[in-house]
Structures are given as structure tokens and as C-alpha cells.
Amino acid sequence: MSYSGSSRHRVVVVGGGFGGLSAVKALRRADVDVTVIDRVNHHLFQPLLYQMATGILSEGDIAPPLREILRRQRNVNVMLGEVTGVDAVAREVRVDTVGQRSVVRYDSLILAAGSRQSYFGHDEFAVDAPGMKSIDDALEVRGRIFGAFEMAEVTADLAPREAWLTFVVIGAGPTGVEMAGQIAELSRRSLHHNFRGIDPASARVVLLDGLPRALGPFPESLADRAVKDLTSKGVEIHLGVMVTGVDAEGIDTNASELTLRRIPARTKIWAAGVAAAPLGRIAAAATGAGTDRAGRVQVQPDCTIAGYPEIFVVGDLMSLDKLPGVAEVAMQSARHAAATIGRRLRGDSRERPFRYRDLGTMATISRFRAVATVGPLRLSGFPGWLAWLFVHLMFLTGFKNRAAVLVNWLIAFVGHGRPQRAITSQQVFARVSLTANPAGASARHTQPASSHQQAS
Ligand SMILES: Cc1cc2nc3c(=O)[nH]c(=O)nc-3n(C[C@H](O)[C@H](O)[C@H](O)COP(=O)(O)OP(=O)(O)OC[C@H]3O[C@@H](n4cnc5c(N)ncnc54)[C@H](O)[C@@H]3O)c2cc1C
């Protein structure tokens, strides 16, 4: 099937994440027909995935449907499908919607396909150490975390029980720090009185990073503060330690301390690296553009591909001036692309370079504690947390989502509860662990019968 569109200028946007959605919204008054293509039907607020994984938020809270967000924007058509090919000469993209193929033509193309987890050449680690990039990932991690406490409860022998109660987070960037902090809080606070055979507060939460310091993008003083806060919450932090192996029962490292060489741990979460989405490679091959080490497409200062002024690459997929892979870069570069298209349609074809305005960065440690840089301000502790709360509420899409998130935060942060602890039989011990028969656990519990919900 081929979509040729109308006689108006056709803008195709690939990806409905931070970049894609910003571009689409910025084109709302332009005299163009926009098609936004995404392989999923929702816009995912990735910075709160870790809260979904730890039972605070539901998938609906952080992933509203693209069609719903854009229902009032009459010049937009939403299409579900994965872009698998770009023909830069014929100006069309190939789309695969669960096996159904189509071709979509464009006059301007904005590629905003984001990034994926990188295991630095060890993709086999993904089997036992899922990453944190999608709803599927977060639900799997949720299943593994809550499932691990269930398994510990029915495991009589000490060593295997301790392995179920050990959680290793690999990567001490913002995502790893937030994840480790939440697992610690969950075990020490939210699961209190929930179990009879185990004390969830005895869980060991380990945060590892190959680099010598945590929270690389933050000023050193704030990173040190975060490490101190996490340690006080019971997180064990080991920096300068590389993971050399991951399997169902634990991880291997290159640590000099013998006790860290092998850490028996049933639950491992990979928060260590990202690489560009595969579309980067496809677009580069179609245009002759270069890519950087992470597979991001090298662009001109105005975010277009050299020789193809009608193709823009924005956000995590773009390689420009070593800009970081953060939401603000994606949104600002996407708006720049949309503004350039608008200007060209008005007859102004002058090139204007994209200039990024750094608005700051933040990470939560636990309830009421965060570190944040906002302009010249350096915030930590409760003021940092308030800044974090405000910014995240503002950036969430849609009033209904903000209201739902606020209620869930009240339950989790002011109360003790974790309102979103439903795990299904597919997730409870996660894809691969289902096949394992852990020592000390009764067979009855290695094959859960059906989905179940744990009230908080
Ligand atoms: C766990 C986590 C926490 C984070 N925390 C923060 C934070 O606190 N602050 C911050 O600023 N940034 C944070 N980030 C980074 C931020 O989310 C990204 O920089 C941002 O999402 C990039 O926007 P994007 O539009 O380039 O890509 P994305 O938002 O990832 O969107 C890409 C979209 O493209 C779609 N797609 C991909 N390939 C195709 C294809 N071939 N065909 C069709 N669709 C496709 C995907 O489904 C997705 O919807 C975090 C990221 C993660 C994973």
C-alpha cells in the first residue's frame, strides 16, 4: 500500500517520543500534512520508567496514546508501524505494521527514533539483566523485583534465599541511581509487614559502575551528595568495577575485592549504556551520512543530513556537538527542525544552526531526596526533590496523567503503598527465569499458575 498524501507539503515524523511529539506539536499551525509513525501506540515518558518498574506508577500514567494526545491537531495522522527503510532519492519511507508493508512519501522527513539499550558488545547480558527503555522492560523488571521477594519467601535455604534478596543495578548514571534508591526504599519501607518468612528490609541492593564516579553529568559535589544519601538508604555502591559476566544466578566482575568478583543475585538491572536506534544505521546507509560510535547520525549544524536538507535527525538519534541524550535536547532540536520547515514554506531558506539551551538535570535518590541543577542553582535533599517533582509534573503529557501520577505519588511518598504491584505469570519470574528451577524453592512456585495482584 502506498500513501501519497495531499497536495500540501508532507512532513513525515518517525518516532512519537520527546523529539517526535515536540516536532508534531510545533507544526500545528503550519500549512502541512503531518504523518507521525511509531512502532508503539504511545508516547513514553522514559524518565519515570523506574517508578513503573518499582510499583509506583502504572503504564497508563506515563504512556498516553499518541492518537489521544494529538486528537485535536487536525493536520496530523498517526500511523502504527516500524520504519524499516528510507529511500532518500524517491523521498519515501518503508513501514512494517506487524507484517503489513506500506510506503509513505514525504517532502520533509524528521527522524526521531531515539536510542536503545547498549550492552557494550555483550548482548547476551540482556537475557538476565534487562534494560530500562520500554514499557515491556519496566514490566519485566517489576516482575523480577516483586517476584524475587515471593521466591525468597518460599526458599528455605539461606544462600539461594539471599540470592533472591540481592538486587544488582549496573550503571550509576541517573537511571541506575534512581532505580537503586527505589529498590532500597521499597524493601525498607513499602514491603514492611508484607511477608512472614523473610524480612524484605534485609534485601541487599548493589549499585555498580565501571567509571570512578557516579552521576557523570552532575557536578561532583552533587554526585557525592547522592552517593552519601544512597548509602544512608542502605545501597551498597561500588565504583570502578566492570561487569564481566551475567547469568541467571548472579554476576561476575573484575573487582579487586574477592567478595565482589562473583555476586550471587537473581535480579540484575542494566542501566549502563545506550546506543542509537537501528534506524540511524538505515538512514546513514541511505544518505551516506556518518555515524558516531553509538550509531547516532552525524548532522549539519541545522540538524539536517549533508546533501539532504529535507531530512532532519533530532534527539537521541542525532550526533551533533557531543550533545547529551536527554529529553531537552530532543525537544529543542525537534522544534528547531519544525521551525526550519515552517520558515522554508514561507520562502526563507537561510540555514540557521541549532543552539541548545541547557536547562539543567536532575535525579531522585528516594522520597524527599533528589539532586538537581537548574540554571546556576545546585539543589539537593528536599529542595532538590521539590524541583524534581515540579519539573516532572510539568513535563508529563496531559492533565489526566498528571492527576493520576500525583495521586500515586501521594500513596507512595506520603503513605507506604506501592499502588501498581500487579504482576502476571509471564512477568512474575520474567521470561527466562520461568525455565529455571531455583534450588531451595518448591516446584509449585517455579511455575506460577495465573496472574495475581498484590494489594498494597
Ligand atoms: C530510563 C530512562 C530515564 C531517563 N531519564 C531522563 C531524565 O531524567 N531526564 C532527561 O532529560 N532525559 C532522560 N532520559 C533520556 C530521554 O528519555 C531521551 O533523551 C529522550 O527520550 C530522547 O527523545 P527522542 O525523541 O530522541 O527518543 P524517544 O523519546 O526514545 O522516542 C523514540 C521513539 O521512536 C520510536 N521508534 C524507534 N525506532 C522506530 C522505527 N524504526 N520506526 C518507528 N518508530 C520508531 C520509539 O518507539 C519511540 O517512541 C531517560 C531515558 C531513559 C531510558
Side-chain angles (χ1 to χ4, degrees):
M1 186 191 270
S2 170
Y3 294 85
S4 53
S6 70
S7 55
R8 289 213 293 185
H9 188 91
R10 295 160 301 189
V11 182
V12 169
V13 179
V14 182
F18 280 104
L21 193 57
S22 298
V24 172
K25 286 182 170 175
L27 288 166
R28 68 188 173 284
R29 292 206 182 87
D31 188 23
V32 295
D33 286 321
V34 182
T35 303
V36 56
I37 308 170
D38 202 304
R39 59 185 177 194
V40 297
N41 74 336
H42 50 263
H43 164 74
L44 179 60
F45 194 89
Q46 293 175 11
L48 290 176
L49 269 175
Y50 77 98
Q51 294 203 359
M52 213 187 111
T54 51
I56 298 173
L57 299 176
S58 76
E59 51 273 38
D61 295 338
I62 60 167
L66 281 166
R67 289 185 189 285
E68 178 68 13
I69 300 169
L70 297 169
R71 70 190 185 284
R72 292 214 175 87
Q73 193 173 327
R74 306 298 302 175
N75 67 347
V76 181
N77 180 35
V78 177
M79 183 177 185
L80 180 77
E82 173 150 7
V83 171
T84 54
V86 176
D87 187 333
V89 177
R91 295 192 179 177
E92 53 190 34
V93 293
R94 285 190 293 281
V95 186
D96 184 326
T97 310
V98 202
Q100 187 163 315
R101 307 265 159 82
S102 36
V103 170
V104 181
R105 304 212 174 96
Y106 63 81
D107 298 308
S108 295
L109 176 64
I110 301 178
L111 298 175
S115 53
R116 63 188 164 83
Q117 206 74 58
S118 165
Y119 287 83
F120 305 120
H122 286 282
D123 286 352
E124 71 278 10
F125 290 177
V127 173
D128 294 297
M132 189 61 76
K133 285 297 289 178
S134 64
I135 288 190
D136 285 320
D137 291 339
L139 287 176
E140 174 164 0
V141 170
R142 185 197 285 177
R144 286 183 184 237
I145 292 172
F146 290 104
F149 286 103
E150 298 295 339
M151 291 304 295
E153 175 82 347
V154 295
T155 301
D157 296 341
L158 185 64
R161 191 167 68 217
E162 281 179 355
W164 281 115
L165 284 176
T166 301
F167 301 83
V168 179
V169 180
I170 302 139
T175 302
V177 161
E178 290 176 326
M179 196 70 217
Q182 273 311 319
I183 299 175
E185 191 151 285
L186 171 74
S187 62
R188 272 67 171 164
R189 195 166 171 273
S190 310
L191 295 181
H192 196 51
H193 291 322
N194 275 217
F195 292 87
R196 302 292 173 259
I198 57 161
D199 176 10
S202 67
R204 181 180 177 204
V205 185
V206 183
L207 178 63
L208 299 178
D209 202 302
L211 295 174
R213 101 170 168 88
L215 288 180
F218 286 77
E220 205 161 344
S221 59
L222 285 187
D224 290 347
R225 173 69 193 259
V227 166
K228 225 166 100 191
D229 283 351
L230 273 181
T231 310
S232 75
K233 288 274 159 197
V235 178
E236 207 183 298
I237 304 174
H238 302 286
L239 301 172
V241 172
M242 305 273 282
V243 171
T244 54
V246 179
D247 57 58
E249 319 224 326
I251 63 157
D252 299 302
T253 77
N254 69 351
S256 48
E257 282 170 70
L258 279 182
T259 51
L260 290 178
R261 286 279 174 85
R262 169 81 188 165
I263 306 177
R266 284 284 179 173
T267 310
K268 285 84 53 181
I269 298 150
W270 191 267
V274 288
L279 188 62
R281 196 176 24 80
I282 294 169
T287 57
T291 52
D292 66 12
R293 279 178 61 202
R296 299 182 304 172
V297 183
Q298 279 158 358
V299 294
Q300 305 284 96
D302 64 352
C303 305
T304 62
I305 292 182
Y308 296 88
E310 70 284 4
I311 306 182
F312 298 82
V313 184
V314 300
D316 281 10
L317 196 65
M318 162 186 91
S319 172
L320 176 67
D321 298 339
K322 296 200 166 62
L323 288 172
V326 295
E328 264 304 325
V329 169
M331 293 190 288
Q332 291 182 29
S333 57
R335 282 189 219 117
H336 182 83
T340 305
I341 293 170
R343 270 200 316 275
R344 284 179 186 166
L345 288 175
R346 292 192 297 276
D348 177 357
S349 53
R350 275 174 300 170
E351 261 181 45
R352 301 221 179 127
F354 167 54
R355 295 205 197 290
Y356 174 55
R357 215 171 124 235
D358 188 355
L359 299 179
T361 181
M362 42 189 62
T364 41
I365 314 299
S366 61
R367 74 186 188 121
F368 307 148
R369 283 186 206 195
V371 287
T373 62
V374 185
L377 291 178
R378 306 270 179 274
L379 302 171
S380 58
F382 191 60
W385 189 78
L386 282 181
W388 170 88
L389 190 88
F390 178 75
V391 167
H392 282 74
L393 270 184
M394 286 302 98
F395 277 89
L396 266 172
T397 305
F399 172 78
K400 278 178 273 181
N401 286 70
R402 280 188 207 130
V405 165
L406 203 57
V407 169
N408 281 329
W409 280 352
L410 278 175
I411 297 171
F413 299 144
V414 180
H416 279 74
R418 293 277 156 154
Q420 307 296 340
R421 277 167 57 183
I423 47 179
T424 68
S425 54
Q426 246 186 350
Q427 296 153 5
V428 69
F429 306 110
R431 284 176 290 203
V432 185
S433 308
L434 265 174
T435 55
N437 188 12
S442 80
R444 186 166 57 90
H445 287 275
T446 57
Q447 293 290 332
S450 61
S451 66
H452 68 275
Q453 171 139 18
Q454 303 159 321
S456 50

Coordinates of all heavy atoms in Angstrom, one line a residue, residues 182-223:
Q182 N 15.1 3.4 44.6 CA 13.7 3.0 44.8 C 13.6 1.5 45.3 O 12.7 1.2 46.1 CB 13.0 3.1 43.5 CG 12.4 4.5 43.3 CD 11.5 4.9 44.4 OE1 10.8 4.2 45.1 NE2 11.7 6.2 44.8
I183 N 14.6 0.7 44.8 CA 14.5 -0.7 45.3 C 14.8 -0.7 46.8 O 14.2 -1.4 47.6 CB 15.5 -1.6 44.6 CG1 15.2 -1.7 43.1 CG2 15.5 -3.1 45.1 CD1 16.2 -2.4 42.2
A184 N 15.8 0.1 47.2 CA 16.1 0.2 48.7 C 14.8 0.7 49.5 O 14.5 0.1 50.5 CB 17.3 1.1 48.9
E185 N 14.2 1.7 49.0 CA 13.0 2.2 49.7 C 11.9 1.2 49.7 O 11.2 1.1 50.7 CB 12.6 3.5 49.0 CG 11.6 4.3 49.8 CD 11.7 5.8 49.5 OE1 12.6 6.4 50.0 OE2 10.8 6.3 48.8
L186 N 11.7 0.6 48.6 CA 10.7 -0.5 48.5 C 10.9 -1.5 49.6 O 10.0 -1.9 50.3 CB 10.8 -1.1 47.1 CG 10.0 -2.3 46.7 CD1 8.5 -1.9 46.6 CD2 10.5 -2.8 45.4
S187 N 12.1 -2.0 49.6 CA 12.4 -3.1 50.6 C 12.3 -2.7 52.0 O 11.9 -3.4 52.9 CB 13.7 -3.8 50.2 OG 14.8 -2.8 50.4
R188 N 12.9 -1.5 52.3 CA 12.9 -1.0 53.7 C 11.6 -0.5 54.2 O 11.3 -0.5 55.4 CB 14.0 0.1 53.8 CG 15.4 -0.3 54.1 CD 16.0 -1.0 53.0 NE 17.5 -1.3 53.1 CZ 18.1 -2.2 52.4 NH1 17.4 -2.9 51.5 NH2 19.4 -2.4 52.5
R189 N 10.8 0.1 53.3 CA 9.6 0.8 53.7 C 8.3 0.2 53.3 O 7.4 -0.2 54.0 CB 9.8 2.3 53.2 CG 8.9 3.3 53.9 CD 9.3 4.7 53.5 NE 8.3 5.6 54.0 CZ 7.3 5.9 53.3 NH1 7.1 5.5 52.1 NH2 6.4 6.7 53.8
S190 N 8.2 0.1 51.9 CA 6.9 -0.3 51.4 C 6.5 -1.7 51.6 O 5.3 -2.0 51.8 CB 6.9 0.0 49.8 OG 7.3 1.3 49.6
L191 N 7.4 -2.6 51.7 CA 7.1 -4.0 51.9 C 7.0 -4.5 53.4 O 6.8 -5.6 53.7 CB 8.1 -4.9 51.1 CG 8.0 -4.8 49.6 CD1 9.0 -5.7 48.9 CD2 6.6 -5.0 49.0
H192 N 7.2 -3.5 54.2 CA 7.1 -3.7 55.7 C 5.8 -4.5 56.0 O 4.8 -4.1 55.6 CB 7.2 -2.4 56.3 CG 7.5 -2.4 57.8 ND1 8.6 -3.1 58.3 CD2 6.9 -1.9 58.9 CE1 8.6 -3.0 59.6 NE2 7.6 -2.3 60.0
H193 N 5.9 -5.5 56.8 CA 4.8 -6.3 57.2 C 4.1 -7.1 56.1 O 3.1 -7.7 56.3 CB 3.7 -5.5 57.9 CG 4.1 -4.9 59.2 ND1 4.8 -5.5 60.1 CD2 3.8 -3.6 59.7 CE1 5.0 -4.8 61.1 NE2 4.4 -3.6 60.9
N194 N 4.7 -7.2 54.9 CA 4.0 -7.9 53.8 C 4.3 -9.4 53.8 O 3.6 -10.2 53.2 CB 4.4 -7.3 52.5 CG 3.6 -6.1 52.0 OD1 3.3 -6.0 50.9 ND2 3.2 -5.2 53.0
F195 N 5.5 -9.7 54.4 CA 5.9 -11.1 54.3 C 6.0 -11.7 55.7 O 6.2 -11.0 56.7 CB 7.2 -11.2 53.6 CG 7.2 -10.9 52.1 CD1 7.3 -9.6 51.7 CD2 6.9 -11.9 51.2 CE1 7.1 -9.2 50.4 CE2 6.8 -11.6 49.8 CZ 6.9 -10.2 49.4
R196 N 5.9 -13.1 55.8 CA 6.0 -13.7 57.1 C 7.4 -14.5 57.2 O 7.9 -14.6 58.3 CB 4.9 -14.7 57.3 CG 3.5 -14.1 57.1 CD 3.2 -13.1 58.3 NE 2.0 -12.4 58.1 CZ 1.9 -11.1 57.7 NH1 3.0 -10.4 57.5 NH2 0.7 -10.5 57.5
G197 N 7.8 -15.0 56.1 CA 9.1 -15.8 56.2 C 10.3 -15.0 56.1 O 11.4 -15.5 56.5
I198 N 10.3 -13.9 55.4 CA 11.5 -13.1 55.2 C 11.3 -11.7 55.7 O 10.2 -11.2 55.9 CB 11.9 -13.0 53.7 CG1 10.7 -12.4 52.9 CG2 12.3 -14.3 53.1 CD1 11.0 -11.8 51.5
D199 N 12.4 -11.0 55.9 CA 12.4 -9.6 56.2 C 12.8 -8.9 55.0 O 14.0 -8.9 54.6 CB 13.3 -9.3 57.4 CG 13.3 -7.8 57.7 OD1 12.5 -7.1 57.1 OD2 14.2 -7.4 58.5
P200 N 11.9 -8.2 54.2 CA 12.3 -7.6 53.0 C 13.4 -6.5 53.2 O 14.2 -6.3 52.3 CB 11.0 -6.9 52.5 CG 9.9 -7.6 53.2 CD 10.4 -8.1 54.5
A201 N 13.4 -6.0 54.4 CA 14.4 -4.9 54.7 C 15.8 -5.5 54.7 O 16.8 -4.7 54.6 CB 14.1 -4.2 56.0
S202 N 15.9 -6.8 54.7 CA 17.3 -7.4 54.7 C 17.8 -7.5 53.3 O 19.0 -7.9 53.0 CB 17.3 -8.8 55.3 OG 16.5 -9.6 54.5
A203 N 17.0 -7.0 52.3 CA 17.5 -7.1 50.9 C 18.8 -6.3 50.7 O 19.0 -5.3 51.3 CB 16.4 -6.6 50.0
R204 N 19.7 -6.9 49.9 CA 20.9 -6.2 49.6 C 20.8 -5.5 48.2 O 20.4 -6.2 47.2 CB 22.0 -7.3 49.5 CG 23.4 -6.8 49.2 CD 24.4 -7.9 49.2 NE 25.7 -7.5 48.8 CZ 26.7 -8.2 48.3 NH1 26.4 -9.5 48.0 NH2 27.8 -7.7 48.0
V205 N 21.0 -4.3 48.2 CA 20.9 -3.5 46.9 C 22.3 -3.0 46.5 O 22.9 -2.3 47.3 CB 19.9 -2.3 47.0 CG1 19.7 -1.6 45.7 CG2 18.6 -2.8 47.6
V206 N 22.8 -3.5 45.4 CA 24.1 -3.1 45.0 C 24.1 -2.3 43.7 O 23.4 -2.6 42.8 CB 24.9 -4.5 44.7 CG1 26.4 -4.1 44.3 CG2 24.8 -5.4 45.9
L207 N 24.8 -1.2 43.7 CA 24.9 -0.4 42.5 C 26.4 -0.4 42.0 O 27.3 0.0 42.8 CB 24.5 1.1 42.9 CG 24.6 2.1 41.8 CD1 23.6 1.8 40.6 CD2 24.2 3.5 42.4
L208 N 26.6 -0.8 40.8 CA 27.9 -0.9 40.2 C 28.1 0.1 39.1 O 27.2 0.3 38.3 CB 28.2 -2.3 39.7 CG 28.1 -3.5 40.6 CD1 28.3 -4.8 39.8 CD2 29.1 -3.4 41.7
D209 N 29.4 0.5 38.9 CA 29.7 1.3 37.7 C 31.2 1.1 37.4 O 32.0 1.1 38.3 CB 29.3 2.8 37.8 CG 29.1 3.4 36.5 OD1 30.1 3.4 35.6 OD2 28.0 3.9 36.2
G210 N 31.5 1.0 36.1 CA 32.9 0.9 35.7 C 33.6 2.2 35.8 O 34.9 2.2 35.9
L211 N 32.9 3.3 35.9 CA 33.6 4.6 36.0 C 33.9 4.9 37.5 O 33.2 4.3 38.4 CB 32.7 5.7 35.4 CG 32.5 5.6 33.9 CD1 31.5 6.7 33.4 CD2 33.8 5.8 33.1
P212 N 34.9 5.8 37.7 CA 35.2 6.0 39.1 C 34.3 6.9 39.9 O 34.4 7.1 41.1 CB 36.6 6.7 39.0 CG 36.7 7.3 37.6 CD 35.8 6.4 36.7
R213 N 33.3 7.5 39.2 CA 32.3 8.3 40.0 C 30.9 8.1 39.4 O 30.7 7.8 38.2 CB 32.8 9.7 40.0 CG 32.1 10.7 39.1 CD 32.6 12.1 39.6 NE 32.3 13.1 38.6 CZ 31.2 13.8 38.6 NH1 30.2 13.5 39.5 NH2 31.0 14.8 37.8
A214 N 29.9 8.3 40.4 CA 28.5 8.1 40.0 C 28.0 9.4 39.4 O 28.7 10.5 39.4 CB 27.7 7.8 41.2
L215 N 26.9 9.4 38.7 CA 26.2 10.5 38.2 C 27.1 11.5 37.4 O 27.3 12.6 37.7 CB 25.5 11.3 39.3 CG 24.3 10.7 40.0 CD1 23.8 11.6 41.1 CD2 23.2 10.4 38.9
G216 N 27.7 10.9 36.3 CA 28.7 11.6 35.5 C 28.2 13.0 35.1 O 29.0 13.9 35.2
P217 N 27.0 13.2 34.6 CA 26.6 14.5 34.1 C 26.5 15.6 35.2 O 26.3 16.8 34.9 CB 25.2 14.3 33.4 CG 24.9 12.8 33.5 CD 25.9 12.2 34.4
F218 N 26.5 15.2 36.5 CA 26.3 16.2 37.6 C 27.6 16.7 38.1 O 28.6 16.1 38.0 CB 25.6 15.5 38.7 CG 24.1 15.2 38.4 CD1 23.7 14.1 37.6 CD2 23.1 16.0 39.0 CE1 22.4 13.9 37.3 CE2 21.8 15.8 38.7 CZ 21.4 14.7 37.9
P219 N 27.5 17.9 38.7 CA 28.7 18.5 39.4 C 29.2 17.5 40.5 O 28.3 16.8 41.1 CB 28.3 19.8 40.0 CG 27.0 20.1 39.3 CD 26.4 18.9 38.7
E220 N 30.5 17.5 40.7 CA 31.0 16.5 41.7 C 30.3 16.6 43.1 O 30.1 15.5 43.7 CB 32.5 16.6 41.8 CG 33.1 15.3 42.2 CD 34.6 15.3 41.9 OE1 35.1 16.2 41.1 OE2 35.3 14.5 42.5
S221 N 30.1 17.8 43.5 CA 29.5 18.0 44.9 C 28.1 17.3 44.9 O 27.8 16.6 45.9 CB 29.4 19.4 45.2 OG 28.6 20.1 44.3
L222 N 27.3 17.4 43.9 CA 26.0 16.8 43.9 C 26.1 15.3 43.8 O 25.3 14.6 44.4 CB 25.1 17.4 42.8 CG 24.6 18.8 43.0 CD1 23.6 19.1 41.8 CD2 23.9 19.0 44.3
A223 N 27.1 14.8 43.0 CA 27.2 13.4 42.8 C 27.6 12.8 44.2 O 27.1 11.7 44.6 CB 28.3 13.1 41.8

